[in-house]
Amino acid sequence: MTTTHTIDILMATYNGAEFVDKQIKSLVTQSEDGLISSSGEKIRLIIRDDGSTDNTLDIIKKRVEYTKAKRENPMEVKILDDANHTGSPTQCFMKLLSVATGDYVMFSDQDDMWYRRKTETTFARMKKCEEKYGKDTPILVHTDLSLMNEEGRKIADSFFDYQKLPREEGVRDSIGQLLIQNTVTGCTLMMNRAAADLLREAPASEMVLMYDHYAAILVAATGHVSFVDEPLIRYRQHSKNSVGAHQAGSVDEYKSRLIFGREKFLKDMDLSYRQVGYILKRYEDKIRARRGQKTVDMMKEYSELIMAGKREKLEFFQKYGVYKNGAIKKLVQMIWC
């Protein structure tokens, strides 16, 4: 009996020649031992390049061919024939999601490195969640990650420690926390088919912050989000990152906030209010059915803060306990809102 590929790793690339070979190598050598022994799942890699002007695609093709020649049962790799430049990681990932047919999907950047056990460890948690909540429930599993610099030297064992993000169950992935501060990093997550199908209903244009933040709020409001407290990926931190990370409480974080200032903070918050408004407009009935009218009301009030003054915002934050994690971030929120 032929096993159908059911876990799709969706990889977006753009001018990534410097690092992409190591990442492809870490993806095509993902362990399938736990998958085969548990339920026979296989992994497939789907790659979409966003119109690179360097030799990213050539490097990818050479690594894929080398893997086919050297490995007994090489992973299936599909490179999409679509190199139109969108200029947007979110649009690129949503294009990939639109063609994915697996029962589970994962997302990969071009310059990180996955630990060999990443897929099977994440999948093991996914199966436990599906056993508890049902396969028809939208489920998102995400993990911690370690950080490395541009040269590949590890600079932090845990992103959650580095950013001082909450680990407490019921806080970390609560809707209130996710509304104002994303704790889900796209390159660490896996979604089941129910969650992926739900996300496919939304256009990239509604994901005005990032697709992972949109997905995290959506699944938290309609299903279940689960966290694996283990770093399963080495995230490369460098000047070309679409989204970077400064150590919480560090001089670099203070400097970043001072440089970008209140104007950027308010712009990001406005995007956050808008994004929640889009989610509520598209999925209100599903959110109400899963979480009740109180959650709908909270999300509606949050989305309407885009038109509110400082006093109304402070009243909302106090009413629902919606604060960024960490003393400095919370203080900035209270002063600059």
Side-chain angles (χ1 to χ4, degrees), residues 47-51 79-86 92 95-96:
I47 302 170
R48 181 187 182 274
D49 185 73
D50 201 47
I79 301 173
L80 300 186
D81 186 19
D82 171 20
N84 296 321
H85 183 56
T86 68
C92 196
K95 282 178 176 286
L96 280 159

Side-chain angles (χ1 to χ4, degrees), residues 98-135:
S98 71
V99 302
T101 58
D103 294 319
Y104 308 92
V105 295
M106 306 175 78
F107 298 86
S108 168
D109 295 327
Q110 65 185 359
D111 47 9
D112 304 325
M113 293 175 66
W114 287 19
Y115 296 131
R116 192 168 184 269
R117 65 186 184 281
K118 179 181 188 296
T119 301
E120 62 179 354
T121 301
T122 309
F123 181 69
R125 173 63 62 83
M126 174 63 76
K127 295 301 288 183
K128 288 182 179 179
C129 289
E130 287 190 328
E131 289 170 6
K132 182 175 182 179
Y133 299 103
K135 293 189 71 170

Side-chain angles (χ1 to χ4, degrees), residues 46-59:
I46 306 176
I47 302 170
R48 181 187 182 274
D49 185 73
D50 201 47
S52 290
T53 56
D54 63 5
N55 61 333
T56 295
L57 272 174
D58 290 336
I59 293 171

Side-chain angles (χ1 to χ4, degrees), residues 272-282 299 302-303:
S272 177
Y273 304 143
R274 283 176 54 201
Q275 182 164 269
V276 170
Y278 287 136
I279 293 171
L280 190 60
K281 183 177 180 180
R282 185 170 293 277
M299 293 178 70
Y302 184 82
S303 69

Side-chain angles (χ1 to χ4, degrees), residues 215-261:
I217 295 171
L218 173 61
V219 177
T222 59
H224 180 74
V225 176
S226 181
F227 176 61
V228 177
D229 195 357
E230 180 182 355
L232 294 175
I233 176 175
R234 189 170 286 192
Y235 176 83
R236 194 181 301 273
Q237 185 72 20
H238 57 80
S239 58
K240 297 177 184 177
N241 285 122
S242 294
V243 179
H246 296 291
Q247 185 173 11
S250 67
V251 173
D252 283 343
E253 185 189 35
Y254 297 144
K255 188 187 298 183
S256 174
R257 294 190 184 282
L258 286 172
I259 289 172
F260 292 112

Side-chain angles (χ1 to χ4, degrees), residues 114-171:
W114 287 19
Y115 296 131
R116 192 168 184 269
R117 65 186 184 281
K118 179 181 188 296
T119 301
E120 62 179 354
T121 301
T122 309
F123 181 69
R125 173 63 62 83
M126 174 63 76
K127 295 301 288 183
K128 288 182 179 179
C129 289
E130 287 190 328
E131 289 170 6
K132 182 175 182 179
Y133 299 103
K135 293 189 71 170
D136 292 336
T137 298
I139 297 172
L140 182 155
V141 176
H142 67 116
T143 79
D144 199 353
L145 57 163
S146 62
L147 299 174
M148 62 179 170
N149 64 12
E150 200 155 352
E151 290 73 39
R153 180 176 61 84
K154 185 187 284 188
I155 57 177
D157 290 324
S158 166
F159 177 75
F160 270 70
D161 289 343
Y162 192 76
Q163 286 279 282
K164 291 185 168 59
L165 296 175
R167 278 189 161 88
E168 298 88 346
E169 192 73 31
V171 175

